[in-house]
Amino acid sequence: TKADIFEVFPFNNMVILVNIDGASLKSIYNKNSNYLYVDFAQGISSINNLKDSEIYQLAIIDYVFESTHSSYDAFDKLNNDQYIETNIIMRDILIQYLDELY
């Protein structure tokens, strides 16, 4: 139910889209693989297959982005045109996804 989703996602975490190069993304993933999810549906079979100089788009909630912005050199070096604040709440994405399943 929607009440269950609100229990799991009680905060209004907004999604931020970050454009980041493959080398930086690999570094972040290798340091935090237990906390990250990578969608390999785009023809990439593993994190090691990312091309270092290619730009990838990473979706991250604002809380994690803001709290780790200075922790990761990759995020700290970003300028405003390298990330997009979507103003979309993570919980709303899940609710919409589940609504479309049923």
Side-chain angles (χ1 to χ4, degrees), residues 29-42:
Y29 181 82
N30 289 332
K31 292 177 186 174
N32 300 286
S33 61
N34 291 338
Y35 306 104
L36 301 175
Y37 169 75
V38 177
D39 180 3
F40 294 116
Q42 300 280 329

Side-chain angles (χ1 to χ4, degrees), residues 45-93:
S45 60
S46 93
I47 195 77
N48 296 320
N49 290 349
L50 297 178
K51 296 177 182 169
D52 287 349
S53 59
E54 192 166 326
I55 302 298
Y56 298 91
Q57 193 165 73
L58 171 69
I60 187 169
I61 59 171
D62 59 344
Y63 174 78
V64 173
F65 181 76
E66 294 299 329
S67 64
T68 61
H69 195 267
S70 61
S71 301
Y72 299 125
D73 288 340
F75 289 165
D76 196 33
K77 294 176 188 172
L78 295 176
N79 55 43
N80 289 346
D81 64 338
Q82 292 175 290
Y83 63 91
I84 302 165
E85 295 179 18
T86 65
N87 295 320
I88 300 170
I89 297 174
M90 177 63 189
R91 177 182 55 237
D92 293 345
I93 293 172

